[in-house]
Amino acid sequence: MLEFSLTWFLEGFLHPLETPSHLILLVALGVLLGQHASAHFIRNILLFCVAVITGFTINNYFPLRWNNELILLFLALFVSLLTILRLNYRLLWVQFMIPLLSIACGFMLGLDSSPIVIPGLGADTFYNWLLGATIGIYSAVILIAVISLLLRDLFQGIILRVLGSWISTSSLFVLTLLMVKGN
């Protein structure tokens, strides 16, 4: 039977909020989902949640050696640019693009999230960390999406578009710092 560890749970819960690329992508996706909330809002959130679990599973059993942080930042940049454009949700390609982005963002967040492995730690700590990270990722996106949903008609949506421009600027800054650090 698994034992609950509050310390490892909190480590996992705070992980998405401590990693800049995760935080930028969570805010970007939450704003986009809130801006385009419609009858498909719940579907997009559920697709995101399933994709996060899929990313965790693949990361645990078949770790891929991609530059996940770079992919997360490019996803955040693309999502924030879609937020700035505020495309009409009635367009068929926009209805296809938002669920696809929800899946891609969730998959990459799950793929880039893993606890620090210390020899001798049991499976309990690993699963507590994953539970905390899952709840942290879900609650951040849902909270930001609900706030964005409430703000989407305020000042004709300009607030969310300005927030999208800040997110794109932040992702560009972090991308620039990654490129400079890499050379």
Side-chain angles (χ1 to χ4, degrees), residues 38-165:
S38 66
H40 305 295
F41 179 73
I42 301 296
R43 179 195 67 185
N44 293 336
I45 294 288
L46 289 176
L47 286 173
F48 172 75
C49 293
V50 169
V52 170
I53 296 295
T54 305
F56 281 150
T57 305
I58 289 175
N59 187 29
N60 187 30
Y61 294 110
F62 312 105
L64 303 174
R65 301 294 173 223
W66 296 346
N67 191 348
N68 295 337
E69 192 168 3
L70 196 63
I71 296 170
L72 288 171
L73 289 169
F74 275 116
L75 275 171
L77 181 62
F78 186 69
V79 168
S80 63
L81 290 176
L82 284 177
T83 303
I84 294 169
L85 291 174
R86 193 180 184 196
L87 299 169
N88 188 354
Y89 193 74
R90 291 185 199 108
L91 297 172
L92 185 61
W93 71 273
V94 175
Q95 290 179 10
F96 177 73
M97 183 67 71
I98 292 176
L100 187 65
L101 281 172
S102 298
I103 292 170
C105 293
F107 179 74
M108 286 310 299
L109 282 167
L111 201 60
D112 193 44
S113 298
S114 59
I116 298 171
V117 178
I118 301 172
L121 289 178
D124 293 352
T125 56
F126 179 74
Y127 292 126
N128 283 318
W129 191 94
L130 281 179
L131 178 66
T134 304
I135 292 173
I137 289 171
Y138 292 172
S139 60
V141 168
I142 291 171
L143 180 68
I144 293 168
V146 168
I147 291 171
S148 298
L149 176 65
L150 297 173
L151 295 175
R152 74 178 178 166
D153 293 328
L154 193 64
F155 299 117
Q156 298 174 346
I158 292 175
I159 293 174
L160 295 183
R161 295 172 85 178
V162 168
L163 185 58
S165 70

